[in-house]
């Protein structure tokens, strides 16, 4: 049976979308975003005027969940994440630094990296948002199966990202 850290590693490696949670003066907000893995978290691309981008600019924090929405109830699994969040600078060097740091799952050739940097910089409202994971939790399947309750287990974030970095 895989450890909680192995389950989180597998979920993050297998999926591509995170539901981001933020809060602002108007209340809580969620938005689904395509993520790519970094050594200590992930990043997404977004419009700098999106509601979650504006909330991140104020608070510097966000939350997220990654899960398989097609799983049967008995096979449900997911990862809940707490992030320190920031907008990366819009200059080419800062964009390149984020994109070049991607883990192997999301890495590209040097030529493709150049094209990505150029495309992001050429879109005035597009920014990269970096989400450094502070805490992570996985669904407690035993609690669900034995008590029918929704519970979670905290996992060792460093172990998860070491597992993600080691994947080929």
């Amino acid at each position: 049976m895989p450890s909680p850290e192995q389950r989180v590693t597998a979920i993050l490696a297998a999926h591509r979308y995170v539901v981001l949670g933020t809060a602002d003066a108007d209340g809580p907000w969620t938005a689904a975003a395509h993520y790519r893995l970094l050594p200590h978290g992930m990043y997404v691309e977004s419009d700098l005027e999106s509601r979650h981008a504006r909330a991140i600019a104020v608070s510097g924090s966000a939350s997220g969940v990654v899960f398989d929405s097609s799983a049967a109830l008995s096979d449900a699994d997911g990862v809940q994440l707490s992030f320190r969040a920031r907008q990366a600078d819009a200059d080419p060097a800062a964009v390149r630094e984020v994109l070049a740091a991607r883990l192997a799952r999301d890495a590209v050739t040097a030529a493709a990296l150049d094209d990505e940097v150029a495309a992001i910089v050429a879109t005035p409202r597009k920014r990269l948002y970096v989400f450094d994971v502070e805490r992570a939790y996985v669904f407690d399947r035993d609690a669900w199966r034995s008590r029918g309750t929704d519970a979670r287990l905290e996992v060792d974030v460093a172990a998860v990202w070491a597992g993600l970095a080691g994947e080929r």
Side-chain angles (χ1 to χ4, degrees):
M1 171 182 267
S3 72
E5 287 77 11
Q6 290 168 325
R7 286 176 40 219
V8 171
T9 300
I11 292 164
L12 293 173
H15 297 284
R16 302 279 189 226
Y17 292 91
V18 60
V19 177
L20 295 173
T22 57
D24 59 19
D26 293 326
W29 182 251
T30 58
H34 180 262
Y35 69 87
R36 293 183 183 99
L37 294 168
L38 294 170
H40 302 286
M42 58 182 63
Y43 78 90
V44 303
E45 298 176 22
S46 187
D47 189 293
L48 66 95
E49 289 299 321
S50 66
R51 187 168 172 185
H52 56 269
R54 292 190 319 263
I56 288 166
V58 172
S59 72
S61 64
S63 61
V65 63
V66 177
F67 62 97
D68 180 357
S69 65
S70 67
L73 189 57
S74 61
D75 293 325
D77 212 359
V79 179
Q80 295 170 317
L81 304 153
S82 173
F83 300 116
R84 188 174 55 258
R86 68 179 171 84
Q87 175 186 309
D89 291 335
D91 67 90
V95 170
R96 178 177 297 285
E97 181 179 348
V98 171
L99 297 180
R102 288 181 286 202
L103 296 182
R105 178 194 89 162
D106 297 313
V108 297
T109 65
L113 178 61
D114 290 341
D115 291 344
E116 282 183 303
V117 170
I120 291 168
V121 172
T123 308
R125 296 172 54 100
K126 183 183 270 191
R127 295 294 185 276
L128 300 180
Y129 291 86
V130 177
F131 298 91
D132 292 318
V133 176
E134 295 183 309
R135 298 178 83 176
Y137 304 85
V138 68
F139 185 59
D140 185 342
R141 289 174 151 179
D142 292 334
W144 176 253
R145 290 177 181 144
S146 65
R147 299 187 308 266
T149 59
D150 183 12
R152 60 188 181 165
L153 303 169
E154 188 163 7
V155 298
D156 179 342
V157 171
V160 170
W161 258 263
L164 289 165
E167 286 191 355
R168 301 285 172 227

